[in-house]
Amino acid sequence: MLRSVAAIVLPNVAPFELGVACEVFGIDRADTGGPTFDFVVCGPRPGMVTTKGGLYSINVEHGLEATEDVDLVILPAYGELDGVPDSVLEAVRAAHARGAWVLSICSGAFALGAAGLLDGRRCTTHWMHSAHLQERFPAARVDPAVLYVDDDRVITSAGTAAGIDACLHLIRRELGAAAATAVARRMVVPPHRDGGQAQFVDTPLPCDADTLAPLLAWMVENLETDLTVPDLAARAFVSERTFARRFRAETGTTPAAWVTRQRVVRAQEMLERSDASIEEIARLCGFGTAAVLRHHFARTLGTSPQAYRRTFALSPVR
């Protein structure tokens, strides 16, 4: 269970990426139905630490002993990619060895690589650093295109906002969809972006009027309907070919894959919050039958709807 978190601050830490960790895990959201974590910021030694660009410094009050019994250790982006103290590497290795999660945001992945935790694993970082990460750690399997990767309690994410997505993914995995949604709602960010989505769009859309955002919101509200590409393209007033191209440009995936993932998320929420049968949930989420729901649930989450409900139901399962 995810309850305690430590963020390790290194010299020239990126303020935004550190802020992501603080915002997601460092705020008590009990008053709005969100989870509360024991959160601490620590470093190789207590004292003042510079931030990226040298604009200001922050006072770190705790040493690396703060990582010794937490459930999650976070490495935000930092300055000297190849100069991580041995004490930090040992702390990260020890945390993972005893069963804790480790999560990097942007260039924080280089610290995980130096600790040996990326060897043989899929991982990612900001696309600008991906070639260097692969060169520096040839045993890692770097994917420069995705938002985040979860591989055996090691989560790596791309830059800036992708760190939020990775943190929400971990909360959803450990505490359930309702907890992740509560955090996202308070932060006013999307509750779920799949890790496989693209980091960036090669050809930006020409104007705001061309975005599919209103259609995506409508699709989320109508997951129980038959969301076919011809019908969606017609609703967007474009050809099927243009719709498919634009959809991948904006979401980094296909309409079918996007809809399936949103339906799984909806099923997670219903399994947590309601006592509806699996058949009823399958119908309301758009899967049609319980067998189809079980198939996609197992493929996406590696568990069954029944097992998920037993773990994350907000009220006792009768």
Side-chain angles (χ1 to χ4, degrees):
M1 187 68 73
L2 181 61
R3 294 300 181 195
S4 54
V5 182
I8 298 178
V9 173
L10 294 172
N12 295 318
V13 63
F16 185 94
E17 282 76 358
L18 175 59
V20 166
C22 295
E23 179 71 19
V24 174
F25 297 106
I27 294 178
D28 185 347
R29 295 184 173 87
D31 60 333
T32 54
T36 300
F37 304 93
D38 293 325
F39 178 77
V40 64
V41 174
C42 63
R45 62 184 63 84
M48 302 300 292
V49 178
T50 58
T51 60
K52 184 178 180 181
L55 299 178
Y56 58 88
S57 297
I58 60 174
N59 184 30
V60 177
E61 297 183 355
H62 302 279
L64 293 174
E65 67 278 358
T67 68
E68 292 176 358
D69 58 358
V70 296
D71 303 314
L72 166 65
V73 174
I74 300 178
L75 272 301
Y78 58 95
E80 296 297 327
L81 300 183
D82 297 323
V84 182
D86 289 341
S87 59
V88 171
L89 303 182
E90 181 54 38
V92 172
R93 282 193 291 261
H96 187 261
R98 62 176 170 75
W101 288 88
V102 294
L103 184 152
S104 65
I105 304 176
C106 193
S107 62
F110 283 80
L112 300 188
L117 294 184
L118 300 186
D119 291 353
R121 286 190 171 90
R122 282 189 67 238
C123 59
T124 193
T125 187
H126 193 289
W127 59 269
M128 291 178 63
H129 302 307
S130 60
H132 183 195
L133 185 68
Q134 186 66 82
E135 179 181 5
R136 178 74 173 79
F137 307 108
R141 295 185 288 130
V142 181
D143 187 339
V146 298
L147 294 179
Y148 58 86
V149 175
D150 176 347
D151 190 333
D152 187 25
R153 290 179 292 107
V154 175
I155 299 178
T156 51
S157 68
T160 56
I164 300 175
D165 298 315
C167 291
L168 292 176
H169 162 77
L170 180 55
I171 292 175
R172 185 179 303 104
R173 175 163 178 165
E174 286 288 288
L175 302 180
T181 299
V183 174
R185 183 183 302 115
R186 183 80 165 259
M187 294 177 64
V188 197
V189 297
H192 177 78
R193 288 201 300 169
D194 194 69
Q197 290 186 207
Q199 284 192 26
F200 65 95
V201 179
D202 287 316
T203 306
L205 298 176
C207 67
D208 290 342
D210 288 329
T211 182
L212 294 176
L215 178 63
L216 296 177
W218 180 87
M219 291 166 67
V220 169
E221 295 299 320
N222 293 273
L223 292 173
E224 74 282 2
T225 63
D226 189 15
L227 300 173
T228 66
V229 167
D231 289 343
L232 294 172
R235 180 173 285 271
F237 302 106
V238 295
S239 69
E240 293 179 34
R241 178 176 296 180
T242 298
F243 176 77
R245 174 182 56 79
R246 188 175 295 170
F247 198 95
R248 180 172 287 279
E250 291 199 34
T251 69
T253 189
T254 65
W258 190 90
V259 168
T260 296
R261 191 64 184 93
Q262 296 303 317
R263 284 172 171 162
V264 170
V265 171
R266 176 68 57 79
Q268 289 178 268
E269 294 172 348
M270 293 189 68
L271 288 165
E272 294 176 28
R273 296 176 179 272
S274 77
D275 57 1
S277 69
I278 304 301
E279 285 284 355
E280 180 70 359
I281 291 174
R283 184 182 67 80
L284 292 174
C285 292
F287 284 123
T289 68
V292 176
L293 169 59
R294 292 188 185 99
H295 168 75
H296 289 293
F297 214 84
R299 190 175 67 174
T300 302
L301 302 177
T303 188
S304 68
Q306 293 91 337
Y308 184 90
R309 171 172 269 170
R310 285 194 297 270
T311 301
F312 293 114
L314 300 183
S315 58
V317 178
R318 294 190 294 272

